Amino acid sequence: MTFIPNLCELRDLRDLPSSTTLLVLPPEIDFSNAAGLLRRVMSAVDTRAGRLRVLVLDLTSTHFMDSQGVRLINEVRLSLQPQVRVRVAALPDGAPSRVMELTGVRRDVPVFDSLHEALEE
């Protein structure tokens, strides 16, 4: 287990619509950081309440994710307002993509093979 001090990074890209928020998640998601990640993601959602329509979780740099990552994504999805959609970007041959496929989370959350695809409307 590796200690990752930066839980997640909020990115405001100039060419993103103001209704879209991009959060870059860390290289590892497990028991040691999942609860803190959930708080950070929901804090970003809360600060954009009313104008947020799309939340993109970027897992393209995440090389390890266990069931805690699945729980995190599912809790985020269930906590969002009905008008907010969550999208996940994960490399097709990466661990997060495989874990989401095996657990069935891909049925409930759209998972895109690249960040570019996840950001397209």
Side-chain angles (χ1 to χ4, degrees):
M1 178 173 13
T2 304
F3 176 70
I4 311 248
N6 184 10
L7 291 178
C8 68
E9 177 185 343
L10 175 64
R11 286 228 183 117
D12 287 319
L13 301 176
R14 292 174 205 229
D15 52 341
L16 282 182
S18 63
S19 60
T20 300
T21 295
L22 168 61
L23 290 171
V24 180
L25 298 181
E28 297 179 5
I29 302 173
D30 58 22
F31 181 77
S32 69
N33 64 356
L37 282 170
L38 179 61
R39 285 191 299 274
R40 178 71 192 255
V41 170
M42 295 315 298
S43 174
V45 167
D46 291 344
T47 61
R48 288 155 179 80
R51 65 178 191 223
L52 181 63
R53 295 294 175 261
V54 178
L55 174 65
V56 177
L57 301 177
D58 181 2
L59 295 169
T60 58
S61 296
T62 302
H63 57 81
F64 178 81
M65 183 175 94
D66 62 11
S67 62
Q68 293 299 308
V70 171
R71 182 188 61 79
L72 166 73
I73 293 167
N74 198 42
E75 285 190 31
V76 167
R77 179 182 67 86
L78 295 173
S79 299
L80 294 174
Q81 296 294 320
Q83 74 273 10
V84 180
R85 296 172 290 152
V86 65
R87 297 177 181 177
V88 174
L91 299 176
D93 58 347
S97 188
R98 288 190 301 270
V99 169
M100 288 184 287
E101 182 69 35
L102 289 171
T103 59
V105 87
R106 291 180 80 116
R107 289 186 304 253
D108 300 320
V109 177
V111 179
F112 298 86
D113 291 345
S114 72
L115 182 56
H116 176 75
E117 290 176 14
L119 291 171
E120 288 182 344
E121 286 292 325

